[in-house]
Structures are given as structure tokens and as C-alpha cells.
């Protein structure tokens, strides 16, 4: 009887460890993404402070849109060098920051890529004028989406409060996510075009 209890206890402990592995791996992945993100942001802060040469591509778009008037978008593309050539190494897109407006509504987004060109992290701050709210979205990726964090507050008031924290996108936020997901490839293509033109 004791032997059976010990075996059952051992099996339960083993099963618990196996079930916890994806959570531990996801948490390790998130920490690695955060570490990469903060390292890039620190480099940008050094560039902005004049402590190191500023090296990035910037695209600015000015348009007059029907119904909302003047529209301005500024896209900053920060890159890193590969170690494939001593003098003229190729580059890979590391971070895109963009801010833009529609009438009085202001938007801000960040897209962090890994060295393979895959998306690692998306941060976005978007207003929802109809609901009178602002949202902050954080999406973490490692071979697919691994974590979603959504915060909200009433427009321009108070601190953001967590409304969702999990590993799937709630149905009511799918439209936001699809917009961001469509831009992942667009910014990568834009970077490749600008980089190729600059290097020619």
C-alpha cells in the first residue's frame, strides 16, 4: 500500500512538473524579450542624448485625409549590424517606432524584431474615441503568440488598469491585433527597401 502511494505521489509530482514546463518556458521567453527591448531602448536614449552617433532610418508621411484633415506619421527604423562583413556588414531591422494621428487622435506603436526577422514584441497605445478610452497593448511572440497584456483607462485620466493578461486575444480586441499584425510585414518591407536604396 505504501509503495503504491509513493508511486502515485511521484507520478503526480512528475505530471505537475511537465504541465508547468510551458509556463516556465514562456516566462523565460518573455524575460528574454524584455531584456532585448530594454537594451534597444537604452541605445536609443544614448543616441538621443548625443552620447553615441544616431543611426536609424526615418520616414515621414504627410497627408490630407477626407473627413479627418491633416495626417502625419513618423516611422523610425532602428537596426543592428550582422557580423557577416568587417567593413560593410548587412543590417537587420531591430525596432520600429511610429506615431501618427487621425484628426485629434494620437497613436503610438513599437515593433521589436529578432535577428531572424520575426516579430518578438508589439507595444501600442491607441485611443478608442467611441468608448472614450485609451488602450495599451503588449503582445509577446516566440514561435507564435505567447502572451497578451491589455490595459485601459478613461481618455487622458488616471493610470492604466489591466483588463486582460493571458495567452490568447479576447474576441473584442481581435480587430486591434489584426491591424498591428498587418504592419509587421509592411515595416519589414519598408526597412528592406530603404536599406537597399541607401546601400546601392
Amino acid at each position: 500500500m505504501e509503495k503504491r502511494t509513493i508511486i502515485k505521489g511521484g507520478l503526480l509530482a512528475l505530471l505537475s512538473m511537465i504541465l508547468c514546463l510551458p509556463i516556465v518556458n514562456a516566462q523565460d521567453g518573455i524575460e528574454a524579450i524584455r531584456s532585448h527591448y530594454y537594451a534597444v531602448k537604452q541605445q536609443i536614449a544614448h543616441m538621443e542624448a548625443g552620447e553615441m552617433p544616431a543611426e536609424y532610418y526615418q520616414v515621414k508621411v504627410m497627408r490630407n485625409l477626407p473627413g479627418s484633415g491633416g495626417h502625419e506619421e513618423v516611422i523610425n527604423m532602428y537596426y543592428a549590424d550582422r557580423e557577416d562583413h568587417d567593413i560593410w556588414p548587412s543590417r537587420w531591422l531591430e525596432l520600429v517606432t511610429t506615431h501618427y494621428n487621425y484628426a485629434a487622435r494620437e497613436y503610438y506603436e513599437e515593433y521589436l524584431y529578432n535577428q531572424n526577422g520575426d516579430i518578438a514584441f508589439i507595444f501600442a497605445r491607441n485611443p478608442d474615441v467611441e468608448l472614450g478610452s485609451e488602450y495599451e497593448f503588449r503582445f509577446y511572440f516566440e514561435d507564435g503568440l505567447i502572451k497578451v497584456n491589455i490595459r485601459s483607462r478613461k481618455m487622458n485620466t488616471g493610470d492604466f488598469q489591466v483588463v486582460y493578461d493571458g495567452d490568447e486575444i479576447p474576441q473584442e480586441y481581435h480587430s486591434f491585433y489584426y491591424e498591428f499584425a498587418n504592419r509587421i510585414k509592411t515595416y519589414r518591407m519598408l526597412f528592406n527597401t530603404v536599406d537597399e536604396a541607401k546601400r546601392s
Side-chain angles (χ1 to χ4, degrees):
M1 186 69 170
E2 271 184 46
K3 196 174 188 181
R4 226 185 248 170
T5 306
I6 290 170
I7 290 171
K8 282 183 183 177
L11 287 173
L12 281 174
L14 182 62
L15 183 60
S16 296
M17 287 189 330
I18 290 170
L19 291 175
C20 287
L21 277 176
I23 295 167
V24 170
N25 288 339
Q27 192 59 40
D28 288 347
I30 291 165
E31 289 307 314
I33 291 165
R34 286 179 177 153
S35 178
H36 178 201
Y37 174 80
Y38 290 121
V40 176
K41 293 292 276 187
Q42 191 171 30
Q43 282 184 319
I44 294 169
H46 290 313
M47 284 187 222
E48 290 174 349
E51 297 166 5
M52 61 187 290
E55 283 196 44
Y56 61 96
Y57 298 141
Q58 184 178 80
V59 175
K60 186 172 184 178
V61 180
M62 305 287 290
R63 297 171 62 197
N64 192 21
L65 300 175
S68 63
H71 170 74
E72 176 181 311
E73 182 172 6
V74 177
I75 303 163
N76 294 325
M77 295 172 282
Y78 300 92
Y79 53 81
D81 291 335
R82 299 186 190 278
E83 296 180 5
D84 55 3
H85 193 280
D86 288 340
I87 301 170
W88 300 109
S90 61
R91 297 178 175 133
W92 59 280
L93 178 61
E94 196 164 18
L95 179 72
V96 172
T97 66
T98 179
H99 58 88
Y100 55 95
N101 74 294
Y102 289 103
R105 290 176 286 176
E106 296 285 335
Y107 298 79
Y108 178 77
E109 296 166 14
E110 297 178 337
Y111 298 82
L112 180 72
Y113 296 82
N114 64 28
Q115 198 165 351
N116 296 327
D118 298 323
I119 194 68
F121 176 66
I122 299 172
F123 169 80
R125 181 177 285 177
N126 288 46
D128 186 331
V129 176
E130 291 176 17
L131 297 176
S133 297
E134 285 181 282
Y135 292 99
E136 281 189 351
F137 297 94
R138 289 169 179 82
F139 302 97
Y140 297 84
F141 301 84
E142 186 179 56
D143 296 326
L145 186 66
I146 58 171
K147 183 171 174 62
V148 178
N149 181 274
I150 302 170
R151 300 172 190 214
S152 178
R153 70 177 181 184
K154 286 295 178 192
M155 201 74 78
N156 298 318
T157 60
D159 295 329
F160 284 89
Q161 303 296 319
V162 174
V163 294
Y164 178 79
D165 189 52
D167 58 5
E168 295 179 358
I169 302 163
Q171 183 68 39
E172 62 268 33
Y173 301 108
H174 278 197
S175 61
F176 288 100
Y177 174 72
Y178 293 140
E179 281 185 41
F180 307 139
N182 286 335
R183 293 192 185 110
I184 294 167
K185 187 176 178 183
T186 301
Y187 291 135
R188 195 168 42 224
M189 288 170 54
L190 178 61
F191 170 78
N192 290 337
T193 302
V194 172
D195 189 55
E196 188 176 323
K198 181 66 182 159
R199 295 165 71 84
S200 299

